[in-house]
Amino acid sequence: MVDSALGNDVDRCIERLIAAVRDAGCTVGTAESLTGGQLAAAFSAAPEAGEWYRGGIVAYHPEVKYNLLETPVGPVVTPETAAAMACSTAHMLGANYTVALTGVGGPGPDEGQPPGTVYLATFTAGREPIIEHFRFDGEPVEVMEQTICAALTALAELIEQNT
């Protein structure tokens, strides 16, 4: 379905999200760091994305997270950072649902966290963000693919639970 450089797993994950979005008639937005825009690219390549995808923010540098997405100043590979990214993005983009992620893609550790550490948050207005913590194995590209699938799945689950 989606011509993704990351592979067929992402295709399967996005198909579920598209079905959830269509059933709910909602809009979604993204905020990402370690995936460097690949999550937004997966959304943008999906069928009829212009009708439901509000956009994405790639906040790679910590200062962008602090200043644009109003995350806590300090380490950025934290659940608090992911939650703030998701909430700020929903407000800025006017999206019904958002997913945000921050982490360490590798190959080495960062901020005392091992490679493959990911914090992911999903958000919809009127609820607290749902935060998930993952430890993925593999090379940086493999960590990125697993992270994107986790983000797509988490967002689809949130939408499905609310429809």
Side-chain angles (χ1 to χ4, degrees):
M1 173 179 281
V2 176
D3 183 20
S4 170
L6 294 174
N8 292 329
D9 288 341
V10 171
D11 291 345
R12 284 189 291 276
C13 293
I14 203 156
E15 286 174 8
R16 178 178 177 190
L17 176 66
I18 292 168
V21 166
R22 284 182 180 152
D23 290 347
C26 64
T27 59
V28 299
T30 59
E32 59 190 304
S33 180
L34 81 121
T35 50
Q38 291 297 313
L39 181 60
F43 276 62
S44 299
E48 301 168 359
E51 295 177 19
W52 52 268
Y53 182 49
R54 299 287 293 183
I57 299 167
V58 179
Y60 204 75
H61 194 275
E63 291 294 325
V64 177
K65 292 175 188 73
Y66 308 149
N67 296 326
L68 181 65
L69 296 176
E70 302 175 350
T71 67
V73 175
V76 295
V77 183
T78 67
E80 295 81 10
T81 296
M85 290 171 69
C87 295
S88 294
T89 299
H91 175 74
M92 290 172 55
L93 299 180
N96 301 121
Y97 296 90
T98 55
V99 62
L101 49 92
T102 184
V104 182
D110 192 16
E111 294 185 353
Q113 300 283 346
T117 300
V118 175
Y119 289 99
L120 182 152
T122 51
F123 176 75
T124 188
R127 295 187 155 200
E128 291 295 315
I130 299 168
I131 303 165
E132 297 181 67
H133 177 226
F134 298 94
R135 288 264 166 86
F136 296 124
D137 291 324
E139 296 298 315
V141 167
E142 295 166 317
V143 169
M144 188 180 301
E145 181 174 1
Q146 292 170 80
T147 300
I148 291 169
C149 284
L152 293 167
T153 300
L155 188 57
E157 287 174 356
L158 179 63
I159 295 168
E160 290 165 355
Q161 291 169 1
N162 286 291
T163 53

